Amino acid sequence: LAAVAPIAAQGSPEYAVAAVALALLTGLILVVLGFLRLGFLSNFMSFPVMAGLGTAVGLQIAAGQLTPVLGIPSQGGTFLAQVISLVKNAGQINIITAAIGVPVVIFLLVVRKSLVALLIKIGMGKGLAGIISKLGPVIAIIITILFVSGLALDKQGVKIVGTVPSGLPSIALPPFDLELWNQLLTPALLIAIVGYVASISVAQTLASKKRQHVDPNQELIALGASNIGASLSGGFPVAGGFSRSIVNFEAGAETPAAGAFTAVGIALVALFLTPLLYFLPSATLGATIFVAVLSMVNFKAIKLTYAYSPSDGIAMALTIILAVTLGVIAGLVAGIGISLMMYLYRTSRPHMAVIGQVPGSQYFKNVDRNEVIVNPKIISMRIDESIYFPNARLLETQINELVASH
């Protein structure tokens, strides 16, 4: 919006053309970055920062879904702002909407936590029980659609999806207007970077839960291809999203094939089933996302991370605090910055030990911890870090002090 609004009036053909061109440019930039193998930049996003970001995003998405679940109007781009808005507008709760949303949340929680064990207990196979438990959201959607349409609750203030256009988008080449491309180049670069950071954050957070590996360069190329595909079908720039990815994750997605099945499912729905979604209450959609993102919230991880590495625990806690108060991007940038600063601090003050020879061997160990042989004319040292400019001066000082003291 910020990139395209200055170029054309919203709703005009020129506006749509600019949005499509922006998607193409964003995609091309991402593909180029992927082929240049610049995905290594994601290595600066440490696991504690990603875990903290996951918790913060989970809280923010969950707070945002309370609006459709309870029918309370709210606004705000951060978790804190959303909570304040929800508290202020609590008196405007829609009782009928809440009567749909809250039972759906409870139903989905029960299905998620207890249904598999119950079905296995009555003799059903583990695999089949797992599949049935994953159908909880589908069952909730069907029941609430019938409930809303049968009682005409949409006329009593219950927000519904309404008319969803059917059919698939037409394929067309985006405009090749050099003047327009020049205007959009800088915003496209920024969107590519922000979109990639958001997408790789989602990928790494979910991959860590299953001990899977993410190839950052392949993610760049894939995201670039997605944006190019969006431009060919009349779309705007796209990126991976936490809420949709988590719903997919909670549904049992294991491989990239899940994305292909999702795409086929969306195509079939767009072609044949959109009229059936007319009475789908927004409360059901909100409840589905709300329950899914709860798995992302993990405050115990802060304590465990701090016990292992206080600096990483602090980085994680600060990432969460800043993300819920100032926004997800602010929390991510701060988390990366804190991790880098702590790395620089550690490596600029490396541990250095004076070492001596272990009697009867060729091994050398710390003189303060072992009985070793030392040569009075030679100071042998071990520096537990690579030598580079931030620590060179400190090492020089310590060496000079050792020489002076002998």
Side-chain angles (χ1 to χ4, degrees), residues 19-28 30 187-188 190-200 219-242 244:
V20 170
L22 186 63
L24 178 62
L25 273 176
T26 302
L28 291 174
L30 287 164
L190 294 174
I191 290 172
I193 293 171
V194 173
Y196 174 66
V197 168
S199 299
I200 197 69
E219 293 295 318
L220 275 171
I221 295 172
L223 188 58
S226 298
N227 276 277
I228 293 172
S231 70
L232 294 175
S233 57
F236 54 80
V238 297
F242 258 105
R244 297 174 296 284

Side-chain angles (χ1 to χ4, degrees), residues 152-173:
L153 297 181
D154 55 309
K155 297 179 181 179
Q156 300 181 45
V158 175
K159 187 177 179 181
I160 59 174
V161 169
T163 302
V164 179
S166 61
L168 299 177
S170 57
I171 303 299
L173 289 175

Side-chain angles (χ1 to χ4, degrees), residues 13-37:
E14 293 78 13
Y15 186 85
V17 166
V20 170
L22 186 63
L24 178 62
L25 273 176
T26 302
L28 291 174
I29 290 170
L30 287 164
V31 170
V32 170
L33 294 177
F35 281 116
L36 291 176
R37 306 190 68 79

Side-chain angles (χ1 to χ4, degrees), residues 3-366:
V4 177
I7 296 174
Q10 292 188 41
S12 66
E14 293 78 13
Y15 186 85
V17 166
V20 170
L22 186 63
L24 178 62
L25 273 176
T26 302
L28 291 174
I29 290 170
L30 287 164
V31 170
V32 170
L33 294 177
F35 281 116
L36 291 176
R37 306 190 68 79
L38 295 180
F40 74 90
L41 295 173
S42 67
N43 294 335
F44 292 107
M45 294 183 286
S46 65
F47 174 75
V49 170
M50 289 298 97
L53 188 68
T55 293
V57 170
L59 289 171
Q60 181 167 326
I61 294 174
Q65 298 311 310
L66 290 177
T67 293
V69 168
L70 301 176
I72 301 175
S74 69
Q75 57 187 5
T78 67
F79 170 76
L80 184 61
Q82 288 174 339
V83 169
I84 292 173
S85 181
L86 286 169
V87 172
K88 286 183 178 179
N89 299 325
Q92 301 180 46
I93 185 173
N94 186 308
I95 300 299
I96 301 177
T97 297
I100 297 172
V102 174
V104 171
V105 169
I106 296 172
F107 169 74
L108 293 177
L109 287 173
V110 171
V111 167
R112 178 179 170 186
K113 293 182 178 297
S114 307
L115 185 59
V116 172
L118 179 62
L119 293 176
I120 293 175
K121 189 175 182 180
I122 62 176
M124 186 176 292
K126 185 177 180 180
L128 181 59
I131 292 174
I132 292 176
S133 69
K134 302 298 183 186
L135 293 176
V138 178
I139 296 171
I141 286 171
I142 294 172
I143 292 175
T144 52
I145 286 176
L146 295 174
F147 190 67
V148 171
S149 61
L151 299 178
L153 297 181
D154 55 309
K155 297 179 181 179
Q156 300 181 45
V158 175
K159 187 177 179 181
I160 59 174
V161 169
T163 302
V164 179
S166 61
L168 299 177
S170 57
I171 303 299
L173 289 175
F176 292 92
D177 184 337
L178 291 180
E179 183 180 350
L180 176 63
W181 281 33
N182 187 52
Q183 290 177 285
L184 294 173
L185 184 58
T186 300
L189 177 61
L190 294 174
I191 290 172
I193 293 171
V194 173
Y196 174 66
V197 168
S199 299
I200 197 69
S201 301
V202 180
Q204 290 183 337
T205 300
L206 296 181
S208 68
K209 287 182 171 292
K210 294 197 174 183
R211 297 294 186 265
Q212 294 176 343
H213 172 69
V214 174
D215 183 343
N217 294 311
Q218 192 61 37
E219 293 295 318
L220 275 171
I221 295 172
L223 188 58
S226 298
N227 276 277
I228 293 172
S231 70
L232 294 175
S233 57
F236 54 80
V238 297
F242 258 105
S243 57
R244 297 174 296 284
S245 298
I246 295 167
V247 170
N248 202 27
F249 180 84
E250 287 295 310
E254 294 283 350
T255 72
F261 284 119
T262 300
V264 171
I266 291 173
L268 293 175
V269 170
L271 286 171
F272 306 112
L273 301 180
T274 53
L276 301 179
L277 300 177
Y278 183 87
F279 287 104
L280 174 60
S282 297
T284 303
L285 296 177
T288 302
I289 297 174
F290 179 87
V291 172
V293 299
L294 290 180
S295 65
M296 301 299 300
V297 180
N298 184 7
F299 290 113
K300 290 183 180 178
I302 301 177
K303 182 179 178 180
L304 293 173
T305 303
Y306 185 85
Y308 176 76
S309 169
S311 61
D312 283 341
I314 292 171
M316 185 177 182
L318 287 176
T319 299
I320 295 174
I321 293 170
L322 292 173
V324 300
T325 54
L326 301 179
V328 173
I329 297 298
L332 178 60
V333 172
I336 294 173
I338 292 167
S339 295
L340 288 174
M341 290 299 295
M342 289 183 172
Y343 168 77
L344 289 173
Y345 178 78
R346 287 196 300 266
T347 57
S348 68
R349 301 174 62 84
H351 176 262
M352 188 167 65
V354 176
I355 57 176
Q357 186 178 14
V358 177
S361 75
Q362 297 179 359
Y363 297 106
F364 287 76
K365 294 190 175 182
N366 192 329

